[in-house]
Amino acid sequence: MAHIAFSSTRQPAANAIFSRAGIGAPVAIELLPFTVRPVLTEADLHKAVAVRHAAYARHLPDFARSLEQPEAADHDADTMILLAESKADGTVLGSVRIQTNFRQPLHIEASVDLPLWLATQRLAEVTRLGIVEGRIGRQVKLALIKACFDHCEQNGVDTAVVSGRAPIDRQYEQLLFTDVFASREPVTLRHVGNLPHRIMYFDIASGQERWEAARHPLLDFFCRTRHPDIDLGRHVTSVWKHGLPRGQQAAGAVVVGLAA
């Protein structure tokens, strides 16, 4: 996974306009050179798989060989895959997968017993983040991360939980994630090539407040800028309509693994 650059990703002034949403500070509306949308067809899926495989092959070539074709989880009814594509020529720039726990346990639960306060919540695991190299890839990564946060908010998700291998776990710390386990010891994850990952969490409701307190460089991008090119289509996977997960709790969580 390329380094997350904690700097402005805003386009030149010609690509950004401002509108006032009620009373308060202006809200920036930023146009991106690419779009982010859900995968809708088998052709879309193969585009996502291709960029995923290429991204993993740069860092984990042995594990990447298992990602040359779509995985069974890609076809699950409780899975949503996001695709980033260039506006200029339609080139695929990145993808990420989100899987909920309404019909089956999360993949991460095959490797680690989550604490009860987390395991009984509404969960989703975000995995298989893959992006192209270069400056545009860093921008695409931030947009896909924002799309995951947007998905959390649209579906009433309360807590984000991530799995990150070294040195990616440091990037989660920069985003103000906290370790789920006090020991901070890495856990071997079967669905990510048996590689050790730290398990960390992020409270969605207090996220903006904490970013503001820390004067986080991504605050404006995540919270104060509307990106029309990130279009989830108010997409809600069918499993979100079937009520609460196994624990019958009203709260929710998202498990995020940025492994590429």
Side-chain angles (χ1 to χ4, degrees):
M1 173 182 172
H3 177 66
I4 295 179
F6 292 96
S7 60
S8 174
T9 61
R10 292 178 181 273
Q11 298 299 298
N15 284 348
I17 58 178
F18 291 86
S19 65
R20 186 173 297 276
I23 299 175
V27 175
I29 301 177
E30 182 180 19
L31 303 181
L32 300 170
F34 54 85
T35 61
V36 174
R37 63 175 179 85
V39 161
L40 300 175
T41 67
E42 196 70 18
D44 287 344
L45 175 58
H46 282 280
K47 292 178 182 179
V49 169
V51 72
R52 172 197 303 172
H53 171 261
Y56 275 80
R58 293 196 298 269
H59 307 288
L60 302 170
D62 291 338
F63 177 60
R65 283 192 282 272
S66 68
L67 303 179
E68 293 179 347
Q69 300 297 325
E71 299 175 277
D74 291 327
H75 296 282
D76 287 346
D78 56 358
T79 289
M80 180 178 75
I81 301 172
L82 297 178
L83 191 66
E85 298 169 297
S86 168
K87 288 181 178 178
D89 58 11
T91 300
V92 179
L93 303 175
S95 71
V96 69
R97 185 175 72 202
I98 307 172
Q99 176 231 343
T100 62
N101 71 336
F102 281 62
R103 296 181 180 178
Q104 60 185 6
L106 298 181
H107 292 158
I108 198 172
E109 295 182 83
S111 303
V112 60
D113 292 327
L114 298 176
L116 186 62
W117 65 267
L118 181 59
T120 53
Q121 294 182 16
R122 183 175 287 180
L123 302 173
E125 184 176 6
V126 181
T127 57
R128 301 302 189 251
L129 175 67
I131 58 170
V132 297
E133 294 185 283
R135 183 176 180 179
I136 189 65
R138 292 192 293 271
Q139 189 178 21
V140 169
K141 180 185 298 182
L142 292 180
L144 288 172
I145 293 172
K146 176 173 181 172
C148 290
F149 280 122
D150 288 349
H151 182 77
C152 291
E153 293 181 346
Q154 288 184 16
N155 292 285
V157 170
D158 295 327
T159 306
V161 180
V162 302
S163 57
R165 70 179 191 278
I168 296 171
D169 56 338
R170 302 300 183 186
Q171 298 175 16
Y172 288 123
E173 289 182 351
Q174 290 177 302
L175 287 172
L176 305 187
F177 281 79
T178 303
D179 285 272
V180 170
F181 303 107
S183 67
R184 301 181 57 173
E185 290 296 321
V187 176
T188 299
L189 299 182
R190 298 176 186 175
H191 67 302
V192 194
N194 290 316
L195 296 172
H197 288 64
R198 281 170 66 189
I199 313 301
M200 308 172 77
Y201 74 93
F202 184 98
D203 179 73
I204 298 295
S206 65
Q208 181 168 344
E209 180 181 358
R210 289 184 288 115
W211 281 333
E212 288 174 345
R215 297 183 178 181
H216 201 283
L218 292 177
L219 173 65
D220 285 350
F221 182 84
F222 284 146
C223 303
R224 297 174 178 167
T225 306
R226 187 165 68 85
H227 294 95
D229 297 308
I230 300 176
D231 183 9
L232 303 183
R234 304 300 297 177
H235 180 85
V236 180
T237 53
S238 59
V239 293
W240 289 103
K241 303 175 183 177
H242 292 290
L244 299 177
R246 297 185 302 279
Q248 297 298 304
Q249 296 295 315
V254 163
V255 179
V256 184
L258 281 68

